[in-house]
Amino acid sequence: MKLESLIKPLGIHISQEDVSIDIKGLAFNSSKVEQNYIFVAIPGTMTDGHKYIEDAILNGACVVIGEENLSALGVPYFRVPNSRKTLGLLAKIFYNNPTQHKIMIGITGTNGKTTTSYMLKHILESAGISCALFGSVSTIINGIENESTHTTVDAVTINELLAMCNDSVVIMEVSSHGLVQSRVEGLQFDFCIFTNLEQEHLDYHENMESYYLAKQSLFNYLKPNGVAIINSDSSWGERLCSYVSSLNKEVIKINGKNPTYIVNDEELISIKETLQSYSLNSQMKGKHNLENASLAFSTAISLKLEPLNIERSLENFNGVPGRFEFFQHPKGAICMVDYAHTANAFSHILETANLYNPQRIIHIFGFRGNRDVQKRKNMVQISLNKCHLCILTLDDLNGVPAEQMIQDLYSLDPMNRCIIIPDRTLAIQYAWENAQTNDLIVITGKGIEKYQQSFSLPTFSDMHTLNYLNDSSLVQ
């Protein structure tokens, strides 16, 4: 693609001698630059891309874009106010606006993004509609699944993958980090879904107001006729409804004031039209999963799918890897792995666990280093209130010394009401070996994510640890 075709739509002045430069690709990481690439220098939290401009040019960059006032680079340089946003817009143009002929669905919120996206994908595919998924568990395009590295990948990768995608519908989990960092800049959505908002990621956003505004910004990417589907069962949801309405966009409200639908037991009840109820029955129990199902259901109705077919597909939905995923213990106990990692998520998951009438609930969880420390005390308190046994352990250290994280665990339990076993695999082993008939062992925080450090048992995830312990017990 000629440089003129890329640059001029952004309103950037270009000299006549540069218009015919042939651009072969885009990169914001200098190590990924190849011959005739544009290198976009982005100031980041860990490092500044402007420091790597020389490396990018040596690797073949023929044009550089950045935010600093630079000259004499030996290649054309264009200064822009925000290089992150510019990268997204460039990627959209370079890959020929790959969303223009697709139905785009963006999902944001603290909890429930993954479950809602998998439910909706299942509903659509049950109706014969091909569906791509960009999420925290997997990226699935043209029926090919790959493990995800981020909830929302960078703008270049998103557009490159979308250009390869032949699916009719694209469902995309959109994180607050991804929104702040303009990873979806240039994309336009037919539907934007909001699940909920609670305290999380304040190590990054600093306060709830900034966190909310990050989530709210997704709805600025709605197409002119786009629709917002919002769980309004909170002040944040109500505020978001008001904001989207001010954009003159259609809002479908789940619960809250003057809703379109309300969730009652296992039913989604239509309020705005003729009073009608739909079944939300699925294998994923609990109030939080009913809310997730209601968002998926109402989106499917907006896509003109038959309600009866939606009900049937929800009934045979098998769940999400690492979300309320069960494992049978040989002594008659049940182990359950879930990604829950906030106070409200703990409440939901443990209340749902009680629906199974366990003899005891044994809860295993930890905290990540360099993450929001303000939520930890409340999470421990909820676990102690709702469980018979609380086992504190380590999650990913993220560069924090293990000794410090262990000290933090003890400081969270001054009354010694928890069992503290820092090695995550040994914590799971302790629960496994002490499990009794009808116990429910709840292991939260990681889902299917792999461990970042080595533990005593030769395993790489919570579910792998359960499989290892089960195999070992069979050998014995």
Side-chain angles (χ1 to χ4, degrees):
M1 178 177 286
K2 299 301 180 185
L3 180 61
E4 180 181 32
S5 301
L6 272 172
I7 294 293
K8 276 201 169 181
L10 305 183
I12 298 174
H13 175 72
I14 181 172
S15 66
Q16 194 59 37
E17 62 188 272
D18 296 331
V19 295
S20 61
I21 295 176
D22 197 24
I23 303 301
K24 300 294 186 185
L26 310 172
F28 62 96
N29 183 331
S30 61
S31 66
K32 294 185 178 180
V33 171
E34 298 180 19
Q35 202 65 36
N36 282 65
Y37 268 44
I38 292 180
F39 174 66
V40 182
I42 294 175
T45 53
M46 303 297 291
T47 189
D48 188 342
H50 294 84
K51 295 179 180 179
Y52 302 94
I53 288 176
E54 281 191 23
D55 293 339
I57 294 172
L58 287 172
N59 287 338
C62 60
V63 174
V64 174
I65 294 174
E67 297 179 11
E68 295 182 0
N69 188 15
L70 303 174
S71 60
L73 294 181
V75 299
Y77 176 76
F78 300 97
R79 187 184 183 189
V80 295
N82 188 318
S83 51
R84 286 187 184 276
K85 288 182 178 292
T86 300
L87 178 65
L89 296 172
L90 282 172
K92 173 184 178 179
I93 298 168
F94 185 81
Y95 289 102
N96 194 29
N97 191 10
T99 68
Q100 61 184 323
H101 300 304
K102 302 182 187 304
I103 296 173
M104 295 290 297
I105 302 173
I107 305 177
T108 198
T110 305
N111 298 309
K113 296 187 295 296
T114 299
T115 300
T116 303
S117 66
Y118 270 80
M119 281 180 168
L120 184 53
K121 183 175 187 292
H122 176 75
I123 291 168
L124 295 175
E125 290 182 335
S126 296
I129 301 170
S130 62
C131 189
L133 178 65
F134 290 68
S136 55
V137 173
S138 298
T139 299
I140 307 172
I141 297 172
N142 303 329
I144 299 172
E145 181 173 3
N146 289 292
E147 185 178 341
S148 294
T149 56
H150 296 80
T151 300
T152 311
V153 295
D154 65 88
V156 175
T157 303
I158 286 176
N159 280 275
E160 182 181 12
L161 292 173
L162 286 171
M164 298 163 49
C165 176
N166 298 319
D167 298 299
S168 301
V169 177
V170 174
I171 301 172
M172 186 176 294
E173 293 181 47
V174 188
S175 68
S176 57
H177 291 67
L179 287 161
V180 170
Q181 295 170 12
S182 302
R183 297 181 204 166
V184 295
E185 191 67 34
L187 302 187
Q188 287 188 299
F189 294 91
D190 297 270
F191 298 90
C192 287
I193 300 171
F194 173 79
T195 60
N196 50 55
L197 192 79
E198 63 171 290
Q199 183 178 322
E200 175 70 330
H201 302 307
L202 297 194
D203 54 301
Y204 182 81
H205 296 287
E206 296 186 354
N207 55 63
M208 287 298 293
E209 178 67 11
S210 296
Y211 184 33
Y212 164 77
L213 290 174
K215 297 293 190 185
Q216 176 184 277
S217 67
L218 172 65
F219 296 79
N220 296 327
Y221 296 97
L222 277 168
K223 293 177 181 178
N225 60 344
V227 178
I229 299 173
I230 299 171
N231 179 5
S232 303
D233 198 13
S234 70
S235 59
W236 299 113
E238 290 290 349
R239 179 177 170 184
L240 182 58
C241 286
S242 297
Y243 175 75
V244 178
S245 294
S246 74
L247 301 177
N248 296 316
K249 297 291 193 298
E250 181 183 350
V251 177
I252 294 175
K253 292 184 66 175
I254 310 294
N255 298 326
K257 301 173 184 176
N258 301 313
T260 312
Y261 302 98
I262 60 171
V263 179
N264 184 20
D265 293 328
E266 292 189 352
E267 288 186 328
L268 180 69
I269 301 174
S270 173
I271 300 298
K272 294 291 185 181
E273 301 171 4
T274 305
L275 195 65
Q276 190 167 359
S277 63
Y278 309 105
S279 171
L280 296 176
N281 185 41
S282 79
Q283 295 182 37
M284 299 193 75
K285 303 300 181 184
K287 177 178 179 289
H288 59 304
N289 282 320
L290 285 175
E291 291 176 347
N292 296 333
S294 72
L295 292 165
F297 201 114
S298 54
T299 305
I301 288 178
S302 296
L303 285 165
K304 311 302 182 187
L305 271 65
E306 287 294 327
L308 182 59
N309 292 337
I310 302 172
E311 289 176 333
R312 288 171 177 166
S313 61
L314 263 183
E315 285 177 2
N316 59 41
F317 176 65
N318 292 324
V320 183
R323 267 64 172 179
F324 219 76
E325 188 171 5
F326 290 98
F327 190 96
Q328 191 67 43
H329 190 285
K331 289 183 180 178
I334 296 174
C335 304
M336 190 265 289
V337 173
D338 193 80
Y339 188 61
H341 58 284
T342 66
N344 275 358
F346 273 21
S347 260
H348 290 316
I349 205 78
L350 296 175
E351 286 170 8
T352 304
N354 269 304
L355 296 176
Y356 292 84
N357 298 314
Q359 176 177 301
R360 296 184 301 168
I361 296 178
I362 302 170
H363 187 198
I364 305 168
F365 65 99
F367 305 101
R368 300 189 179 188
N370 282 326
R371 293 296 186 267
D372 185 3
V373 299
Q374 300 176 48
K375 65 178 183 176
R376 294 178 180 176
K377 190 173 182 181
N378 195 23
M379 291 168 69
V380 172
Q381 191 58 53
I382 288 172
S383 181
L384 286 168
N385 289 343
K386 295 181 181 293
C387 298
H388 299 84
L389 179 60
C390 173
I391 303 175
L392 292 181
T393 188
L394 293 181
D395 202 322
D396 300 333
L397 296 175
N398 290 327
V400 177
E403 295 76 15
Q404 180 181 328
M405 288 298 298
I406 294 169
Q407 185 178 346
D408 290 346
L409 293 181
Y410 280 100
S411 69
L412 289 166
D413 183 34
M415 305 295 291
N416 297 318
R417 292 183 293 172
C418 303
I419 294 176
I420 297 177
I421 306 175
D423 186 301
R424 192 175 184 91
T425 59
L426 295 184
I428 296 172
Q429 183 179 45
Y430 176 87
W432 178 274
E433 292 176 347
N434 288 277
Q436 302 169 12
T437 302
N438 294 328
D439 280 350
L440 181 54
I441 301 170
V442 181
I443 309 167
T444 60
K446 295 196 68 63
I448 65 167
E449 287 185 354
K450 293 180 180 178
Y451 301 147
Q452 288 188 3
Q453 58 268 348
S454 298
F455 294 114
S456 294
L457 300 184
T459 57
F460 57 76
S461 70
D462 290 344
M463 190 59 75
H464 187 216
T465 300
L466 292 174
N467 275 292
Y468 175 86
L469 292 168
N470 188 57
D471 291 345
S472 298
S473 64
L474 291 175
V475 170
Q476 293 173 1

